[in-house]
């Protein structure tokens, strides 16, 4: 079986943790980055400690650029073969109260996070189907896409849209033995949440702490396991009870 998995936005944070966790499970990882080339190299080095003889490698493109995404992914598949799976982790946020939100802030987040799903997954699906070996697609949504969040109307809309896209695509691909699921992190210790006061987190989260990237990565890793063969069209929250 082709065991190659693309993890977008894996030069740092949750994406890096996912890439490393999947490598531990025996997958070859295609490490994706947009601008952080050094971070991507660091991720690849850690991946290769778990898969020294594998075909793990780096690709660079902007998920918001459809033509570039398609070209890079198509070229990579032509050289190395179809992927077994993909984790759509890359995304952006541009927070602002809705009355003050600019059109650019709205379109940038929607275009990158939601259109980016299409730009990445669409070139991969037919090669995956043609392998007749099944596969895995996981999109990283957010608790904001389930509950909404102040100052994140654009981000919440994009992440809720991902959930809808995943549920519909899961129905289309189920007979192909390709599962499609969402993982929705809550407040996770990343650059995005580092300025949040700990007291605020304790008040918001029933488990009274922020999560960590390993906890998200472990959930994604489970969805790639044989034990998750019968799980599709689901949204799994990793949020300490927040949703």
């Amino acid at each position: 079986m082709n065991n190659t998995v693309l993890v977008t936005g894996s030069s740092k944070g949750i994406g890096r943790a996912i890439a490393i966790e999947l490598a531990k499970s025996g997958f070859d990882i295609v490490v994706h980055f947009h601008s952080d080339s050094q971070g991507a190299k660091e991720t690849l080095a850690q991946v290769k400690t778990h898969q020294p003889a594998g075909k793990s490698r780096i690709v660079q493109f902007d998920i918001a650029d459809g033509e570039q995404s398609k070209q890079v992914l198509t070229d990579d598949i032509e050289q190395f073969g179809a992927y077994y799976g993909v984790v759509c982790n890359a995304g952006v946020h541009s927070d602002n109260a809705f009355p003050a939100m600019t059109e650019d802030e709205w379109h940038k987040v929607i275009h990158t996070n939601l259109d980016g799903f299409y730009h990445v997954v669409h070139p991969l699906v037919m090669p995956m189907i043609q392998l007749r070996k099944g596969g895995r697609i996981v999109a990283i949504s957010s608790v904001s896409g389930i509950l909404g969040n102040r100052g994140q109307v654009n981000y919440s809309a994009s992440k809720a849209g991902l959930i809808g896209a995943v549920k519909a695509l899961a129905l289309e691909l189920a007979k192909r033995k390709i599962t499609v699921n969402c993982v929705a992190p809550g407040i996770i210790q990343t650059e995005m949440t580092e300025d949040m006061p700990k007291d605020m987190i304790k008040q918001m989260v029933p488990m009274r702490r922020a999560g960590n990237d390993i906890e998200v990565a472990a959930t994604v890793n489970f969805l790639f396991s044989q034990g998750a063969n019968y799980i599709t069209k689901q949204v799994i929250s990793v949020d300490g009870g927040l949703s």
Side-chain angles (χ1 to χ4, degrees):
M1 183 199 306
N2 190 336
N3 69 336
T4 301
V5 178
L6 168 67
V7 183
T8 66
S10 48
S11 61
K12 60 185 175 183
I14 291 173
R16 174 180 287 178
I18 291 169
I20 293 169
E21 199 69 17
L22 289 173
K24 290 178 183 178
S25 293
F27 292 100
D28 289 328
I29 306 300
V30 180
V31 176
H32 161 265
F33 77 98
H34 176 205
S35 57
D36 186 5
S37 61
Q38 183 58 40
K41 292 175 184 176
E42 292 170 3
T43 299
L44 183 63
Q46 293 186 55
V47 161
K48 286 193 170 183
T49 64
H50 304 288
Q51 284 287 85
K55 297 180 181 179
S56 295
R57 54 195 181 272
I58 294 174
V59 294
Q60 188 272 332
F61 58 88
D62 179 1
I63 66 168
D65 186 329
E67 286 302 316
Q68 185 186 50
S69 301
K70 180 179 180 180
Q71 187 64 59
V72 171
L73 292 172
T74 299
D75 288 349
D76 191 73
I77 289 171
E78 286 179 356
Q79 182 174 357
F80 295 101
Y83 302 164
Y84 174 71
V86 56
V87 182
C88 294
N89 167 75
V92 299
H93 69 99
S94 185
D95 300 348
N96 206 346
F98 187 71
M101 185 173 290
T102 66
E103 191 170 340
D104 182 64
E105 288 171 332
W106 173 267
H107 286 299
K108 177 183 178 182
V109 172
I110 296 294
H111 178 57
T112 302
N113 295 352
L114 195 49
D115 292 357
F117 175 82
Y118 174 86
H119 294 159
V120 170
V121 175
H122 192 260
L124 308 183
V125 167
M126 280 310 301
M128 194 182 294
I129 290 172
Q130 289 163 356
L131 273 183
R132 300 179 183 274
K133 300 292 186 181
R136 297 286 194 267
I137 298 171
V138 176
I140 305 301
S141 181
S142 169
V143 67
S144 296
I146 299 171
L147 298 179
N149 193 27
R150 291 183 182 89
Q152 289 192 322
V153 175
N154 51 359
Y155 186 76
S156 298
S158 70
K159 292 300 187 177
L162 273 180
I163 292 172
V166 159
K167 286 181 175 290
L169 186 58
L171 294 174
E172 293 188 15
L173 298 180
K175 66 182 178 182
R176 308 288 188 176
K177 298 181 181 179
I178 299 171
T179 66
V180 191
N181 293 288
C182 263
V183 172
I187 300 173
I188 307 298
Q189 293 172 344
T190 63
E191 291 179 4
M192 193 172 171
T193 60
E194 63 185 1
D195 293 331
M196 290 187 69
K198 290 185 178 179
D199 288 343
M200 180 186 297
I201 293 173
K202 286 182 178 181
Q203 290 175 7
M204 292 174 64
V205 181
M207 290 191 73
R208 298 179 61 78
R209 68 171 177 87
N212 60 62
D213 53 12
I214 300 300
E215 291 165 324
V216 179
T219 304
V220 174
N221 190 49
F222 165 69
L223 289 171
F224 273 79
S225 72
Q226 294 303 301
N229 281 347
Y230 202 53
I231 298 174
T232 196
K233 198 189 170 191
Q234 301 306 303
V235 181
I236 302 178
S237 296
V238 184
D239 63 10
L242 186 57
S243 61

